[in-house]
Amino acid sequence: MNPLRDPQDRRLPRIPEPCALVIFGVTGDLARKKLLPGIYDLANRGLLPPGFVVVGFARRDWDDAVFEQLAREAAQQHARTPWREEVWARLGGSMRFVGGSFDDDAAFDNLADTLDGLRDSHGINGNAAFYLSIPPPAFPAVLKQLARTGMADNHRAGGWRRVVVEKPFGHDLGSAAELNSLVDEVFGAADVFRIDHYLGKETVQNILALRFSNTLFDPVWNNRYVDSVQLTMAEDVGISTRAGFYDAAGAARDVLQNHLLQLLALVAMEEPTSFDAEEIRTEKLKVLRAAALPDDIATGTVRGQYQQGWVYGQRVPGYLDEPGVPADSTTETYVAVRLGIQNRRWAGVPFYVRTGKRMPRRVTELAVLFKQAPHLPFQPADVRMLGHNQLVIRVQPEEGVALKFGSKVPGTAMEVRDIAMDFQYGEAFTESSPEAYERLVLDVLIGDSTLFPHADEVEQSWRVIDPLEDAWEGTKPEPYRAGEWGPRGADELLAREGRSWRRA
């Protein structure tokens, strides 16, 4: 530790110790489009130590030079920050590649020898993180190899060893608990980082800043003033080449179990005693344990499946016409659920959560809708355009916060209608927001687990999803046309309670 640096001084950037990042599945889209460009962006911002090495592992007959060229092309195509040849000269010279399959003992022995050799050549002192950018069924094979070779053992390595596990974390509660048990046994719970890239987005982190650094919102952040909360994650794309995974998962397992329940927890959680990873996890877990499904799942949820339609003026196929999708598939591409939070703060406030593919546009946002004033001393005709006050946090793509409230229309009449005050990150700050993976990879190397779900959170989320999947078994999703905001039943879900979806 630097004796001249105060740990409370946040002006200086956090930089990891010399270390290696081992990427399994380095030839896949995630590594090519997110991880390798994110690593370059970190290096370009001066946030990586001189002794930093990227080690790729895949079933390819490559040498270090071929891997370095692949990484260079990926960074040039997808990096967020400008290209600087001198930055790549330092980073590209510290790339290693190990070829082999996950059941190849010799390949993992070679990987262990490679990491040992980096102690002397790069001074990493045994520090290494292993990123599992691979299909979930391959996790056990890789974890057992890391255990067999001792690469997961901090004591044997002489430094820290960490593992990054990509979602999905299982496909139900039983498989998630089994995976958690295995990964915690191999690495130890403190060294396991379950990555949900949504938690790395700047606007998601801003939920905590907005709530707990301002007295403006805290007094009204409860069931006395909040009418309802809406969480929307809409995608304008279909399933692309993911039919094999998606048809076995569906929208609830793919998005609701992780991204949206994590957003819900951040919106509804109580104030933590500190901004410490364990304290934040504790409060989030309380919310997930208090999450309640509707009494009648048939009327309190909606499943949908897109049919052919038009998106951005282009005709797109229906889900059943996508390559690799069975003609009789009943997998949902849209889901809407009415959830409740059974605690004193939120009792009686419905949380409407929806996600879908082939929607009119791509948007992720959460909206807090406040109750209307108990008495309006205006003529009914003067306030017909007045709705609920709203606080809207846009996660993507136009990151920002909007506050919607009533204001008088200029003129001689006392006419009141809704207007919005809009804050956008791109206009308020000169520095662009880092990509989610950029931030999360840095946190892994530093050892900061604040933005990573704990095993208990993952398992509790499945306790919410599993009853839904059981209730939906044997039912068919309601069709909706691509380019629309979901099936008709989703509108009826809110209309039965005198509400409507916010126009995202």
Side-chain angles (χ1 to χ4, degrees), residues 334-355:
Y334 176 99
V335 63
V337 182
R338 182 196 193 278
L339 294 173
I341 306 296
Q342 301 298 345
N343 59 26
R344 180 168 293 189
R345 179 184 291 270
W346 296 112
V349 177
F351 284 70
Y352 300 107
V353 183
R354 62 173 171 169
T355 180

Side-chain angles (χ1 to χ4, degrees), residues 101 112 122 127 161 165 191 193 197 220 227 229 237 240-241 254 287 319 337 339 342 364 396 416 426 447 461 499 503:
S101 61
H122 289 74
N127 299 327
R161 293 292 167 95
V165 184
D191 295 322
F193 291 73
H197 71 272
V220 296
D227 172 78
V229 179
V237 298
S240 185
T241 59
D254 185 41
V287 174
Y319 179 74
V337 182
L339 294 173
Q342 301 298 345
T364 299
Q396 65 177 15
V416 182
S461 295
R499 300 183 177 94
R503 182 177 295 179

Side-chain angles (χ1 to χ4, degrees), residues 161-398:
R161 293 292 167 95
R162 298 167 187 149
V163 64
V164 184
V165 184
E166 270 281 349
K167 82 170 185 74
F169 313 111
H171 56 85
D172 58 14
L173 177 58
S175 59
E178 184 178 350
L179 176 59
N180 284 334
S181 177
L182 174 62
V183 72
D184 287 353
E185 178 184 350
V186 173
F187 274 88
D191 295 322
V192 178
F193 291 73
R194 297 165 183 83
I195 194 166
D196 183 340
H197 71 272
Y198 257 64
L199 298 184
K201 292 181 179 294
E202 200 71 32
T203 37
V204 172
Q205 299 167 52
N206 194 42
I207 296 172
L208 298 177
L210 190 74
R211 290 193 55 196
F212 303 129
S213 67
N214 300 293
T215 59
L216 179 63
F217 304 113
D218 184 66
V220 296
W221 209 264
N222 53 61
N223 54 12
R224 288 187 59 194
Y225 297 98
V226 175
D227 172 78
S228 60
V229 179
Q230 295 184 14
L231 288 84
T232 297
M233 179 180 169
E235 299 179 88
D236 52 15
V237 298
I239 61 169
S240 185
T241 59
R242 301 173 68 216
F245 161 76
Y246 196 89
D247 196 63
R253 289 190 176 104
D254 185 41
V255 174
L256 179 58
Q257 183 271 333
N258 39 73
H259 300 333
L260 289 176
L261 285 183
Q262 284 290 319
L263 286 178
L264 182 147
L266 292 174
V267 172
M269 65 184 274
E270 297 294 330
E271 181 178 357
T273 57
S274 68
F275 203 71
D276 174 77
E278 189 61 33
E279 297 297 332
I280 292 176
R281 285 173 178 167
T282 297
E283 299 304 332
K284 286 164 60 184
L285 188 57
K286 289 179 183 178
V287 174
L288 295 174
R289 286 174 174 163
L293 292 170
D295 295 332
D296 184 358
I297 291 179
T299 59
T301 67
V302 176
R303 297 171 72 229
Q305 187 183 86
Y306 65 81
Q307 297 179 322
Q308 69 173 355
W310 296 82
V311 179
Y312 296 129
Q314 299 291 324
R315 180 175 286 279
V316 296
Y319 179 74
L320 298 180
D321 299 321
E322 299 278 15
V325 174
D328 59 350
S329 174
T330 59
T331 297
E332 79 278 356
T333 61
Y334 176 99
V335 63
V337 182
R338 182 196 193 278
L339 294 173
I341 306 296
Q342 301 298 345
N343 59 26
R344 180 168 293 189
R345 179 184 291 270
W346 296 112
V349 177
F351 284 70
Y352 300 107
V353 183
R354 62 173 171 169
T355 180
K357 290 188 175 293
R358 292 296 190 199
M359 309 296 270
R361 66 188 187 95
R362 171 176 170 260
V363 60
T364 299
E365 68 170 35
L366 60 93
V368 180
L369 282 71
F370 295 94
K371 294 180 179 179
Q372 291 183 313
H375 173 67
L376 294 172
F378 308 99
Q379 294 296 324
D382 293 337
V383 292
R384 66 181 184 277
M385 300 296 290
L386 182 65
H388 292 270
N389 296 159
Q390 299 177 20
L391 179 67
V392 182
I393 301 175
R394 295 188 305 273
V395 176
Q396 65 177 15
E398 298 174 353

Side-chain angles (χ1 to χ4, degrees), residues 36-177:
L36 293 170
I39 290 168
Y40 167 80
D41 289 330
L42 289 173
N44 209 7
R45 295 167 59 201
L47 297 179
L48 294 179
F52 176 74
V53 188
V54 178
V55 182
F57 188 102
R59 189 185 297 179
R60 294 287 191 278
D61 186 20
W62 291 351
D63 57 17
D64 295 346
V66 173
F67 173 50
E68 189 270 339
Q69 181 60 32
L70 168 92
R72 178 190 180 96
E73 293 173 358
Q76 286 179 322
Q77 292 176 20
H78 302 289
R80 177 181 64 90
T81 57
W83 182 259
R84 295 167 58 196
E85 196 65 43
E86 63 273 20
V87 171
W88 186 258
R90 295 193 300 270
L91 185 61
S94 296
M95 292 201 166
R96 303 290 183 269
F97 183 81
V98 177
S101 61
F102 299 148
D103 58 357
D104 185 352
D105 289 356
F108 278 84
D109 292 339
N110 184 18
L111 177 60
D113 292 339
T114 299
L115 290 177
D116 287 339
L118 294 174
R119 296 173 186 270
D120 298 327
S121 62
H122 289 74
I124 68 170
N125 296 325
N127 299 327
F130 301 91
Y131 201 115
L132 306 188
S133 177
I134 55 178
F139 288 171
V142 173
L143 291 169
K144 290 173 182 176
Q145 288 281 19
L146 294 176
R148 179 188 67 81
T149 56
M151 283 188 283
D153 190 327
N154 289 343
H155 179 72
R156 181 171 174 180
W160 50 258
R161 293 292 167 95
R162 298 167 187 149
V163 64
V164 184
V165 184
E166 270 281 349
K167 82 170 185 74
F169 313 111
H171 56 85
D172 58 14
L173 177 58
S175 59

